[in-house]
Amino acid sequence: MFMKFLGAATALTFSATSMFAGDITIGFAPNLQTLPIVVAQSEGYFTEEDITLEAVKFTSGRRALEALIGGQLDVAFMAEYPVSIAALRDQPFGTFTTLSRYMANRMISKASIGFEDPSSLEGKKIGTTMGSNTQFFTEALLTKFGVNAEVINVSPPDIVPALVRGDIDAGIMFPDFYPAAEKALGDDYREFRSDAYIAWFVLSATPEMLNDRPDELAAFVRALVKAEEFIETNPEGAMAALETATEGLLSMDVIKAKFAEAEYEIGLDNGLLDILETQANWVVEQGMVEATPSRDLIKGFLATGPVEAVDAARITLE
C-alpha cells in the first residue's frame, strides 16, 4: 500500500504489539518535533495502551496529509499550515492534538554572497517548499524586510544541494535539514533566525478514526501525555531516545544543541487556532484557495474528542 509514496515516504514499522492492540498507521518521521511519539514508542507507552503503530516516513506534512485524506494513513503528523489549506478546501480530516512548537525557524544562506539578513537577498533566489509552512515563513520574512526576491519551489531534500550548487542564494527549509546545511556549507554557512513565525506541529486523523475508533485515539493521546511528562522530567532520556530513533542521522551533540528550540504540549491551544486563522486569511488573499475564511470554519476541523477523553483541561479553544 505504500509503493505509491516512494520518494516521499519510506515504510518504517515500529514493534509495539499486543493481542488486543489497535493498529494505527501513522505518517511521520522521528525528529525533534515528533519527540513525544518517539518517546512513547521507546518507553513502551503505546504498548501499555494496546496500540500497535505502523509508521510511514514522510519528508513533508503536506504529503502526509494527502495520504491521510486518500485513505493510506489513519493519523498524520504535519505543521499547522497544511491544516489551514485543507480546512478551506473542506477536506475530510480532523486535527486532534498539538505535539510541539518550533521556536527557531531560520533562513540559511552563504557568507560568500554577502548574506547578513534577509535584506541581503534583494533580487536573489530563495528556495523553499511551496504549499508548506516554509512558504508562509518565507513570505513573512520578505514582507517584514521589504525584500523583492525570486521564490523558487524546491522539494525538501533538494534545498541543501541546490544551495551548495548555487542554484539558489538562500533556503528556507524544514528544521530536519538544518544540520545537513551546516555540514555541507561548512565555513560558508550563515543563518538568520526569526520569530516572525512560530511553527505549531499537530496530529490529524481520518473521519473514520475520529468517529468509529475514538477509544483508540484516546489511548494514543494518553500515551503522548505520558511521553510529554517524560520529556519534561527526563530530557536526557528523551534525547537518547531520539538519537536511537534517527539511527545516527542526528548525533547527540546536534540533539543537545537543538533541544531547547522546541516546546512540547499535548492538547488544543487557542494559539493554534490563532495561527490557523491568520494563515487561512493569507492563503485566500494570495489567491491559493477560493473560500470564505473564518475562525468558526477553522475551528470546525479541530477535533476535541480524543483529548477531552483524557484531560479536558488541555483544550483552551475560544
Side-chain angles (χ1 to χ4, degrees):
M1 67 182 291
F2 304 120
M3 291 299 292
K4 65 178 66 178
F5 298 109
L6 288 176
T10 305
L12 176 68
T13 302
F14 289 105
S15 57
T17 58
S18 169
M19 184 181 301
F20 306 105
D23 295 329
I24 295 178
T25 303
I26 181 171
F28 90 108
N31 55 42
L32 196 63
Q33 295 76 45
T34 61
L35 187 58
I37 300 175
V38 172
V39 168
Q41 168 59 29
S42 69
E43 295 303 306
Y45 298 147
F46 290 126
T47 302
E48 292 174 5
E49 297 293 342
D50 289 335
I51 295 295
T52 297
L53 291 187
E54 182 177 9
V56 186
K57 187 183 291 184
F58 281 79
T59 57
S60 84
R62 178 175 58 86
R63 297 297 297 272
L65 181 56
E66 289 171 356
L68 182 81
I69 292 169
Q72 285 81 29
L73 298 173
D74 299 313
V75 173
F77 165 79
M78 64 202 70
E80 82 297 321
Y81 182 75
V83 172
S84 63
I85 294 178
L88 289 171
R89 291 174 172 162
D90 195 25
Q91 294 181 301
F93 78 102
T95 296
F96 65 92
T97 187
T98 298
L99 265 188
S100 60
R101 290 181 292 273
Y102 189 72
M103 320 296 289
N105 285 298
R106 59 199 77 171
M107 170 181 279
I108 295 174
S109 186
K110 299 185 285 189
S112 57
I113 71 161
F115 179 82
E116 294 182 0
D117 60 39
S119 64
S120 308
L121 297 173
E122 183 71 27
K124 295 188 181 295
K125 297 178 179 179
I126 301 173
T128 194
T129 302
M130 301 298 193
S132 75
N133 64 329
T134 60
Q135 180 187 4
F136 181 77
F137 179 41
T138 301
E139 297 294 340
L141 278 182
L142 294 180
T143 299
K144 181 176 181 179
F145 282 84
V147 173
N148 290 313
E150 182 182 358
V151 179
I152 299 173
N153 186 28
V154 185
S155 67
D158 294 332
I159 295 181
V160 173
L163 190 55
V164 171
R165 291 192 304 266
D167 297 342
I168 56 176
D169 300 295
I172 294 185
M173 60 198 74
F174 299 142
D176 289 9
F177 296 96
Y178 294 163
E182 190 168 3
K183 181 178 180 180
L185 293 175
D187 292 340
D188 206 20
Y189 177 89
R190 294 293 184 273
E191 68 178 29
F192 178 80
R193 299 190 187 192
S194 174
D195 62 359
Y197 165 61
I198 302 300
W200 292 68
F201 290 93
V202 302
L203 291 174
S204 298
T206 63
E208 290 76 16
M209 283 296 300
L210 292 164
N211 296 327
D212 302 335
R213 302 167 63 187
D215 291 345
E216 292 173 47
L217 274 184
F220 190 90
V221 169
R222 278 195 297 273
L224 294 179
V225 169
K226 295 176 188 177
E228 176 197 297
E229 295 169 351
F230 182 92
I231 294 168
E232 182 177 355
T233 60
N234 190 355
E236 292 290 337
M239 287 187 276
L242 182 57
E243 182 184 32
T244 299
T246 61
E247 299 179 334
L249 292 177
L250 289 178
S251 69
M252 182 56 71
D253 287 343
V254 168
I255 293 170
K256 286 182 176 180
K258 309 296 184 186
F259 193 73
E261 295 178 357
E263 298 178 347
Y264 304 98
E265 184 176 4
I266 307 305
L268 289 171
D269 189 277
N270 209 47
L272 172 62
L273 185 54
D274 290 342
I275 187 64
L276 286 171
E277 183 182 16
T278 297
Q279 288 175 343
N281 287 324
W282 180 81
V283 165
V284 172
E285 288 170 2
Q286 297 294 313
M288 299 178 190
V289 179
E290 288 190 16
T292 302
S294 72
R295 193 173 184 86
D296 285 342
L297 183 150
I298 297 298
K299 193 174 181 180
F301 288 86
L302 300 181
T304 59
V307 173
E308 280 181 334
V310 177
D311 182 0
R314 290 176 174 268
I315 298 175
T316 62
L317 302 175
E318 296 177 359

